[in-house]
Amino acid sequence: MQGMLCRKALLRPVGVAGLFVHLNVRPVFQLADLSATPTVLHLSAMTAPLHLSALFAAAVLVVVKAQLQLLPGSCSFDQGTCGYTSDPTFASWTVNDEGRFITADSSFMGEADRAVFVSPELEVFEWSCLRLVYQITGAGSIQVHLRPHGDNFDYMLWTADKASDSWLIASVDLRNVSGAYQLLLEARPNQGPGNSIAIFEIHIIPGYCLECNFEEHHLCGYSNQWNPNVNWYVGGSLARDPQSNLPDDHTMNNQRGHYMYVDSVYAKRFQEVAKLVSPMTTASMSGCLSFYYQRNQARGNFFSVFTRDQLGHYEEIWRPDVYATPTWKLVQIDIKAHHPLEVVYEVAFNSPRGGFVAVDDITFSPQFCHTETEPTFDPSVANCDFEESLCQYYQERVGGAVWNRVSVRPNVYRIGDHTTGSGFFLLANTRFTSRPGYVGRLHGPYLPGNHKYCLRFYYALHGFRKIDNALALYVYDEKDVAQEKIWTVSEGFRDVWTEVEVTYQKPMSTKIVFVSICRNFWDCGLVAVDDITVTLGDCHVTTGPLRPPTGHCYFETGDCGYTQEQRSKKGRWLRIRGHTPTAYTGPKGDHTLGVGYFMYIEASHMLPGQSARLLSPELRGSIGPQCLTFFYHMYGSGTGTLSVLLRRGDSLKERLLWSRRGEQSISWMKATVDYDCSTRHKIIFEATRGSSIRSDIAIDDIVFKKGPCKDPGDSISYSGFSENFNEIEY
């Protein structure tokens, strides 16, 4: 930590001014090498032969400190912690003896695994930007959470886990809110010596994190992707070479201001590239990105602006239409950032005589700058769970209806729908066709082109000696011509709802078409489809089963903080994937993916009447009704009881919220529970073994949200065992 303090002392004189200063044409300081946010704040010595003390004196003389409008919640730890306090439930943050930063060190945390720093209650309702200067030493992670007043959950906004020997700066967008909230800074250093997390500065400023006039210290979190010969530098200041052809700053329209520029003078190879990278957005935003630029000897350089997502995919959003701009020129670009992305300002040079490019005053507005820009499109028009209708899906009726909307009453013979276990889904078979075989096409609505879409849906197969052509997915254009087959079914489990994720993008307006082909009645079975959703963006970065939102637990990546209540002569909940080991009881797969994880009790390991209790993480309670939904599986002739209970605070008293006894269905059934609790509490899932080993009980997909519950639950009664093939209701 002493090393950190020394680094702080070296960095601060430049940090006050917030700039890497341009002196005598060639910069003395260079932006650090970094391919993405957060920005590294360290000094890189260049060739200028200046003594360090002289450098600091020059920096103080030539740099004008930016006048920032700091909002409530900002803190530099000069005069204490600005109303921030350590959550007493966890370890405490420590203020350095000399002030200026705080630390969470594993050596002083005892058995605690985290330290949580809580802001005072904030009432900043407009969009703002949190800039956090921090450092991870050794191993550990840091997270920023938003705690809305009166809400059950904290919502994670940002996290980092990469160690550094320098201070880093993170930029976190704080969206418009309608009520008061608190910010939580959560440090989790790994156990063992040498692991710590420090925070040097918390700044909250109005506006978007993409915005920058380059007068603010730390360059607003912008970073230079280092290149041996061509890089972005800070331009401006009174100390520049009078022979320089670089411009005055645009913000102040004089030599006192600052901007970013890249010069070709040191380019050595053809098309060497310099990249200036914005902070990664942390909230969905759409609107007008504006900036000013100058460009000279433009035939010797190439200037473009790109967006880059978390997967590293680039998309060009602008390039200049003029070769040279002797004065500052305004650029306005409409962007739609539905998922985290960076804006990359990229310049390439043909030779050392390629001139320069300068950029200044980057701003963002939530209003589009061009009237012809299409409004943000909502692809949910293509969503359908088939509970009420076919939504906007339709089928070709040549030769009879192949796809039919059906439901199955809860039973032990045939699975029901994926949405609730007792609702509706689409089924393709030959019941209403005039031929022994069929080609069934289910058409979706048209979606605009030039968007990347993530399509998710569930399918299930029953029967089938051969699954070739049982189900495939095509993209059709506006002329009803198939452009591409983007997915086809492969061999897998029967009678299990399996999730499919497909990312696609086409330049023209398109629709998705589900195609099922049966060439011979004796080889074909039943194909079912349910819960179709379409969102914008790549499936790898959009919220989904493997990236659940706050309050959701699918058990795919762990137990979500759920714990076992240990009592003598009690059973345990087990997390597994696939089918349970005992025949004629338990699910064949999970509800989330069909091939994922779920929690269950193994009845063969327990005695009749023994129970297992799974406790949720502690919930703060909230104002107003709350809604708990989950899926349960109770199949087996000896099935016992599943109960949901509420326990307040440290009280031993428990209140029963919901219960089911005995065999319910071979399907995953949806349960909905409304309850009220404004104080800290836990939810307990208690499974009691029945009379025989055919008593496995499973749960999956637990979701807490604001109530009251609107989704239907398991209101349809169990119909028992049925040998009737026509359990399906058309």
Side-chain angles (χ1 to χ4, degrees):
M1 198 55 62
Q2 288 299 319
M4 183 183 298
L5 184 59
C6 291
R7 282 193 297 275
K8 181 266 297 182
L10 287 175
L11 279 169
R12 192 55 184 170
V14 176
V16 170
L19 300 164
F20 296 88
V21 185
H22 175 276
L23 297 174
N24 298 325
V25 181
R26 189 169 189 185
V28 176
F29 291 141
Q30 176 187 344
L31 283 174
D33 176 16
L34 191 69
S35 59
T37 50
T39 299
V40 179
L41 299 176
H42 67 244
L43 307 183
S44 178
M46 303 296 285
T47 57
L50 290 180
H51 189 274
L52 190 60
S53 60
L55 170 63
F56 284 163
V60 171
L61 288 173
V62 303
V63 176
V64 179
K65 181 178 179 179
Q67 297 298 316
L68 294 179
Q69 180 188 350
L70 296 181
L71 298 175
S74 301
C75 192
S76 297
F77 305 106
D78 290 321
Q79 306 293 329
T81 60
C82 314
Y84 282 79
T85 57
S86 292
D87 188 329
T89 309
F90 308 103
S92 296
W93 287 81
T94 303
V95 180
N96 181 262
D97 291 340
E98 299 181 21
R100 305 300 302 140
F101 64 91
I102 59 172
T103 59
D105 194 319
S106 60
S107 301
F108 306 104
M109 292 175 60
E111 298 298 320
D113 66 342
R114 72 192 75 174
V116 179
F117 210 42
V118 184
S119 77
E121 195 164 85
L122 306 176
E123 295 184 344
V124 181
F125 304 132
E126 299 301 320
W127 198 295
S128 55
C129 177
L130 165 67
R131 293 214 171 95
L132 180 72
V133 180
Y134 72 97
Q135 183 180 31
I136 299 175
T137 302
S141 65
I142 182 171
Q143 299 175 352
V144 176
H145 298 263
L146 181 77
R147 174 176 290 179
H149 177 70
D151 203 317
N152 226 345
F153 293 97
D154 302 329
Y155 298 85
M156 189 171 73
L157 304 177
W158 169 87
T159 184
D161 59 5
K162 293 183 179 179
S164 171
D165 59 0
S166 304
W167 292 104
L168 307 180
I169 179 169
S171 300
V172 183
D173 282 294
L174 304 177
R175 301 186 56 141
N176 300 354
V177 294
S178 57
Y181 63 89
Q182 292 173 293
L183 293 174
L184 279 67
L185 308 175
E186 182 176 308
R188 295 192 179 198
N190 288 11
Q191 293 294 322
N195 299 320
S196 66
I197 292 164
I199 295 176
F200 179 70
E201 186 175 83
I202 304 168
H203 274 186
I204 302 176
I205 61 174
Y208 296 78
C209 291
L210 286 177
E211 298 180 314
C212 195
N213 60 14
F214 302 107
E215 310 299 335
E216 179 187 342
H217 69 307
H218 310 322
L219 302 179
C220 319
Y222 275 73
S223 61
N224 171 67
Q225 190 164 310
W226 189 80
N227 181 295
N229 299 312
V230 292
N231 291 279
W232 287 88
Y233 300 99
V234 176
S237 86
L238 295 173
R240 72 180 183 186
D241 189 328
Q243 302 301 317
S244 170
N245 62 347
L246 291 173
D248 287 343
D249 163 69
H250 177 268
T251 313
M252 301 180 181
N253 195 29
N254 59 34
Q255 296 180 4
R256 291 183 176 274
H258 299 86
Y259 53 86
M260 299 301 297
Y261 81 98
V262 56
D263 200 322
S264 65
V265 65
Y266 299 109
K268 294 182 179 179
R269 297 190 302 272
F270 181 71
Q271 287 199 3
E272 288 197 274
V273 177
K275 295 182 180 181
L276 178 67
V277 184
S278 77
M280 180 79 73
T281 61
T282 59
S284 175
M285 60 180 69
S286 296
C288 179
L289 175 70
S290 303
F291 64 92
Y292 287 85
Y293 81 98
Q294 278 200 43
R295 185 178 181 220
N296 79 337
Q297 298 184 19
R299 293 182 183 273
N301 62 61
F302 301 91
F303 181 29
S304 299
V305 179
F306 299 84
T307 57
R308 181 171 66 188
D309 65 19
Q310 290 174 303
L311 302 176
H313 297 155
Y314 282 80
E315 179 182 350
E316 186 178 61
I317 58 174
W318 176 84
R319 64 172 56 186
D321 55 3
V322 294
Y323 285 114
T325 53
T327 59
W328 288 103
K329 181 177 177 62
L330 174 65
V331 175
Q332 294 184 314
I333 313 166
D334 287 328
I335 64 171
K336 300 175 182 179
H338 304 292
H339 303 287
L341 56 76
E342 300 161 319
V343 179
V344 182
Y345 300 82
E346 183 175 292
V347 177
F349 295 105
N350 286 333
S351 72
R353 298 180 179 178
F356 72 86
V357 175
V359 171
D360 201 5
D361 292 345
I362 301 170
T363 60
F364 183 83
S365 166
Q367 306 299 322
F368 288 124
C369 32
H370 303 292
T371 55
E372 64 271 18
T373 300
E374 295 181 2
T376 301
F377 173 72
D378 183 3
S380 65
V381 296
N383 293 359
C384 195
D385 60 12
F386 304 105
E387 294 304 311
E388 302 295 333
S389 66
L390 292 178
C391 308
Q392 296 195 38
Y393 288 81
Y394 65 95
Q395 65 176 315
E396 299 172 0
R397 293 192 171 273
V398 178
V402 172
W403 291 96
N404 299 279
R405 180 173 165 268
V406 303
S407 67
V408 175
R409 293 181 63 85
N411 68 95
V412 298
Y413 177 69
R414 187 180 301 282
I415 63 171
D417 80 320
H418 180 264
T419 314
T420 66
S422 58
F424 288 84
F425 59 98
L426 285 191
L427 186 69
N429 62 17
T430 58
R431 178 182 176 92
F432 296 115
T433 60
S434 57
R435 299 186 300 274
Y438 64 80
V439 177
R441 295 184 179 89
L442 179 71
H443 297 251
Y446 281 102
L447 301 178
N450 294 315
H451 291 280
K452 185 176 289 186
Y453 295 107
C454 172
L455 167 68
R456 293 186 173 99
F457 66 94
Y458 289 84
Y459 77 93
L461 303 177
H462 179 79
F464 279 103
R465 294 170 59 185
K466 299 179 181 179
I467 65 167
D468 295 343
N469 302 310
L471 184 63
L473 187 64
Y474 291 81
V475 175
Y476 277 47
D477 64 17
E478 293 184 74
K479 297 180 179 180
D480 252 4
V481 176
Q483 291 292 313
E484 182 184 2
K485 179 194 284 188
I486 58 176
W487 175 85
T488 187
V489 69
S490 57
E491 191 64 47
F493 294 110
R494 302 295 195 273
D495 298 310
V496 175
W497 286 106
T498 304
E499 193 230 23
V500 175
E501 292 185 353
V502 182
T503 300
Y504 71 96
Q505 181 175 8
K506 296 295 179 184
M508 75 292 286
S509 178
T510 58
K511 62 181 177 181
I512 53 174
V513 179
F514 294 86
V515 180
S516 180
I517 301 175
C518 172
R519 301 191 185 281
N520 186 322
F521 174 81
W522 302 106
D523 291 332
C524 298
L526 305 177
V527 182
V529 171
D530 202 5
D531 292 346
I532 303 170
T533 61
V534 181
T535 55
L536 290 169
D538 194 295
C539 290
H540 289 93
V541 299
T542 58
T543 299
L546 298 180
R547 292 160 298 279
T550 300
H552 294 56
C553 183
Y554 303 146
F555 300 110
E556 297 306 321
T557 57
D559 59 13
C560 311
Y562 283 74
T563 56
Q564 306 273 350
E565 185 172 77
Q566 300 296 338
R567 294 183 180 180
S568 60
K569 298 183 179 180
K570 297 291 181 180
R572 289 183 59 81
W573 286 90
L574 305 174
R575 177 176 171 267
I576 70 162
R577 67 191 307 176
H579 59 80
T580 58
T582 307
Y584 302 106
T585 187
K588 292 183 179 180
D590 77 320
H591 180 265
T592 316
L593 302 173
V595 293
Y597 290 87
F598 58 93
M599 301 293 290
Y600 91 110
I601 62 164
E602 176 52 54
S604 63
H605 297 168
M606 302 167 65
L607 297 175
Q610 286 188 341
S611 62
R613 292 161 68 91
L614 187 68
L615 280 64
S616 74
E618 187 172 65
L619 307 173
R620 281 198 313 280
S622 65
I623 301 171
Q626 300 175 63
C627 176
L628 163 65
T629 67
F630 64 95
F631 284 84
Y632 65 94
H633 198 280
M634 300 176 71
Y635 162 59
S637 57
T639 302
T641 304
L642 176 63
S643 301
V644 177
L645 305 105
L646 182 147
R647 177 190 294 171
R648 293 176 182 268
D650 298 327
S651 172
L652 298 179
K653 293 183 179 180
E654 295 171 357
R655 174 160 60 100
L656 179 66
L657 300 178
W658 177 96
S659 183
R660 292 291 182 272
R661 180 189 298 273
E663 187 174 53
Q664 300 295 309
S665 176
I666 198 172
S667 298
W668 283 98
M669 304 296 296
K670 184 175 184 178
T672 60
V673 183
D674 282 293
Y675 74 97
D676 290 278
C677 189
S678 59
T679 60
R680 291 182 179 271
H681 63 282
K682 291 186 177 183
I683 297 296
I684 303 172
F685 294 88
E686 181 180 66
T688 304
R689 187 221 200 243
S691 58
S692 76
I693 61 171
R694 293 178 180 173
S695 182
D696 292 351
I697 296 175
I699 59 174
D700 201 4
D701 296 356
I702 302 171
V703 175
F704 289 91
K705 55 187 177 182
K706 291 183 178 180
C709 296
K710 299 179 180 179
D711 302 323
D714 50 349
S715 58
I716 299 178
S717 61
Y718 167 57
S719 62
F721 184 80
S722 174
E723 295 287 353
N724 182 9
F725 183 83
N726 293 317
E727 188 71 41
I728 300 173
E729 298 179 356
Y730 290 83

